[in-house]
Amino acid sequence: MTKIENIKLSPEDFEIVGVETEKSEKLSKKSISFWQEVTMRFLKNKLALIGLITLILIILGATFVPMFSNFTYRQQTGDYNIAPNGTYFFGTDDLGRDIFTRVFVGARISIFIGFAAAIIDLIIGVTWGAIAGMKGGCLDEIMMRIADILTAVPYLLVVIILLVVMQPGLLPMIIALSITGWVNMARITRSEILKLKNQEYVLAARTLGASTGHLIMKHLIPNALGAILVTMTLTIPSAIFTEAFLSYLGLGVPAPLASWGTMANDGYPALQNAPWRLFFPAAFISLTIFAFNTVGDGLRDALDPKLRK
C-alpha cells in the first residue's frame, strides 16, 4: 500500500467547486413552509385577492358604520322614501329609516348567521366524517347511510318547516340551516380521512400505541385541513344566500332587526317607485357571495395548483 504523506489544507480547499458564492448562499436558504407557499399562491390570484379585500371592507363597514352613523337602524327620520343623496347615502324606506345604516346592520346579522351555520357544520361534519372514515366497516356504512337519508330530504323544505315550528328568529334560523348543512362537510372529511389513514406516519403512530382520537386530532385532521377550509369557505355564502331567501319569504329575523333578506322583502313592493330599497341589499348579497366564492376558489387553487385551469 502506498503511504499517504501529510498534506496541509487551507480554507480555500473547502470552497464549493463550480458554484459562485452568491448562488450557493441562495441555495442554502431555509425553505418556506407549506402554508407560506399556499399564501404566496393565493396572493398571486388577483380575483381571489379582490374578493378577500371586498370581504374585509364589508366586515369593517358592518363593524364601524352603525357606530358612527348619524342614524340608528330603527330610527324614523320623517323623510319617507327619499332617494339617495348627501344626507341619506342609500336613501330611506317607507318608514323614514336610513337604508345605509340598515344595510350595514343587516350585514352584521347576515354574515353572523353565515359564519355561525358554517362553524356548526364544521364541528358536526368534521366529527362525523372523521369517525366514519377512521372506523370504517359497519359503523361507517351506518353513519353514511344516515347522511344519505338527510341528503335525500329537500334542504329548503326542512329549513322552512323548522322555522314555521320554532317561529322566525336569529337562533332558530341558525339551527335550521345547520340541521342538514353539515352533511357535505362530513362527506369531504370522510374522503380525506380515507386517503390519509393508511399513510406510513399514521400507521407508525398507531404501532406506537396512539389512540384513535389522537390519530384523528394530531395526524389526520391537520393534513385534511386544506379541503376542510375550502369547504367551510364555500359553506358561508350558501348559508347567507339561504338566509336571504328565507327572510325574503318572511321567515327571517323579526322586525325591527334588519338582515339583507328582510330588507329585500321590504323593498320589493316599492321596486317601481323606490328601486333603491331593493337594489342596495340585493347588491350587497350578490357582492358578498361573489367575494366568498372567489376566496374559496382561490384557496382551493392555492392548496392544489393541479386544479388550476
Side-chain angles (χ1 to χ4, degrees):
M1 295 180 62
T2 305
K3 186 177 180 181
I4 300 176
E5 298 179 356
N6 292 332
I7 300 175
K8 293 182 179 181
L9 299 175
S10 63
E12 289 77 10
D13 294 321
F14 293 94
E15 291 183 355
I16 301 175
V17 179
V19 181
E20 296 178 7
T21 304
E22 185 178 350
K23 291 183 179 179
S24 65
E25 289 177 355
K26 290 182 179 179
L27 291 173
S28 64
K29 287 183 178 179
K30 185 179 179 181
S31 59
I32 61 176
S33 67
F34 170 74
W35 288 107
Q36 287 175 326
E37 186 177 357
V38 168
T39 302
M40 291 171 59
R41 290 177 187 160
F42 180 85
L43 294 177
K44 290 180 180 179
N45 188 326
K46 294 182 180 179
L47 190 60
L49 192 57
I50 291 172
L52 179 60
I53 293 172
T54 301
L55 284 179
I56 292 173
L57 291 176
I58 292 175
I59 293 173
L60 287 175
T63 303
F64 295 108
V65 167
M67 294 170 56
F68 297 101
S69 175
N70 294 325
F71 310 98
T72 65
Y73 73 94
R74 60 192 302 172
Q75 179 181 349
Q76 298 182 17
T77 63
D79 296 325
Y80 307 109
N81 287 326
I82 300 297
N85 55 43
T87 303
Y88 308 109
F89 300 138
F90 291 174
T92 63
D93 60 13
D94 58 338
L95 296 178
R97 297 172 298 189
D98 180 49
I99 294 178
F100 179 74
T101 304
R102 288 177 64 79
V103 161
F104 285 102
V105 171
R108 290 179 176 181
I109 295 174
S110 295
I111 294 176
F112 172 76
I113 289 174
F115 271 100
I119 290 172
I120 294 175
D121 290 351
L122 174 72
I123 295 171
I124 299 176
V126 170
T127 303
W128 192 277
I131 294 173
M134 192 64 188
K135 289 295 186 180
C138 183
L139 180 61
D140 178 30
E141 189 71 18
I142 293 173
M143 293 179 73
M144 297 319 295
R145 293 298 75 79
I146 294 174
D148 290 340
I149 293 172
L150 291 175
T151 304
V153 180
Y155 173 65
L156 281 177
L157 178 60
V158 173
V159 174
I160 290 173
I161 291 174
L162 287 172
L163 286 177
V164 170
V165 172
M166 294 187 293
Q167 299 299 319
L170 190 60
L171 182 59
M173 176 72 73
I174 295 172
I175 294 173
L177 291 174
S178 304
I179 289 295
T180 60
W182 57 268
V183 174
N184 185 50
M185 180 67 78
R187 292 184 182 278
I188 296 294
T189 304
R190 174 182 177 270
S191 176
E192 292 296 312
I193 297 297
L194 289 175
K195 290 190 296 184
L196 294 169
K197 72 176 186 178
N198 292 321
Q199 296 292 321
E200 289 82 358
Y201 63 90
V202 178
L203 296 176
R206 186 189 293 274
T207 303
L208 293 173
S211 64
T212 300
H214 179 85
L215 291 173
I216 291 174
M217 297 303 299
K218 297 296 183 180
H219 298 286
L220 297 177
I221 295 300
N223 286 284
L225 193 58
I228 292 172
L229 285 177
V230 171
T231 304
M232 184 177 179
T233 305
L234 298 176
T235 299
I236 295 171
S238 176
I240 291 175
F241 176 80
T242 304
E243 181 277 326
F245 175 74
L246 294 171
S247 296
Y248 181 78
L249 296 178
L251 297 173
V253 295
L257 290 175
S259 71
W260 288 334
T262 56
M263 292 184 67
N265 183 34
D266 292 340
Y268 179 73
L271 182 59
Q272 291 186 340
N273 299 324
W276 58 86
R277 289 175 53 187
L278 176 60
F279 171 78
F280 287 109
F284 272 84
I285 292 171
S286 302
L287 187 62
T288 304
I289 291 175
F290 169 78
F292 268 113
N293 285 334
T294 56
V295 169
D297 289 341
L299 183 58
R300 180 197 61 187
D301 293 346
L303 287 164
D304 190 353
K306 295 178 183 179
L307 294 176
R308 292 182 180 179
K309 298 181 179 179

